[in-house]
Amino acid sequence: MSVENLIKMANQIGQYFSTESDHKLAVHGVRQHLQNFWTPAMRRELKDWQDQNPGDELHALVRAALAEPAAQA
């Protein structure tokens, strides 16, 4: 899967969880979704891309979820 598709899907997940008023719960929701529905390879590819491109192309909640160690497993 292309990194562009991963970014698009991740941003959709971030947008969905942005309706949660508790930031910590929103980040947890994004992280859980990535853990439950994405393969480890997909998570690694997105994380590697984010490490190389630290801009704001990814939704803030996705960036926060990827920064947590559990999201990389």
Side-chain angles (χ1 to χ4, degrees):
M1 180 171 296
S2 74
V3 73
E4 291 82 13
N5 283 339
L6 294 176
I7 292 167
K8 179 181 176 182
M9 290 188 309
N11 284 337
Q12 289 171 336
I13 296 164
Q15 185 64 39
Y16 174 82
F17 283 100
S18 69
T19 61
E20 170 61 58
S21 60
D22 183 322
H23 183 265
K24 187 174 179 179
L25 285 176
V27 172
H28 177 74
V30 171
R31 188 179 75 236
Q32 271 309 121
H33 186 92
L34 295 176
Q35 288 287 88
N36 292 343
F37 300 107
W38 284 37
T39 66
M42 291 167 69
R43 293 190 304 268
R44 263 192 314 274
E45 186 173 349
L46 187 63
K47 174 73 171 121
D48 290 346
W49 180 88
Q50 176 62 24
D51 290 346
Q52 298 297 318
N53 302 281
D56 62 355
E57 192 165 349
L58 282 176
H59 194 283
L61 293 174
V62 177
R63 291 194 311 267
L66 290 175
E68 296 183 5
Q72 300 167 33

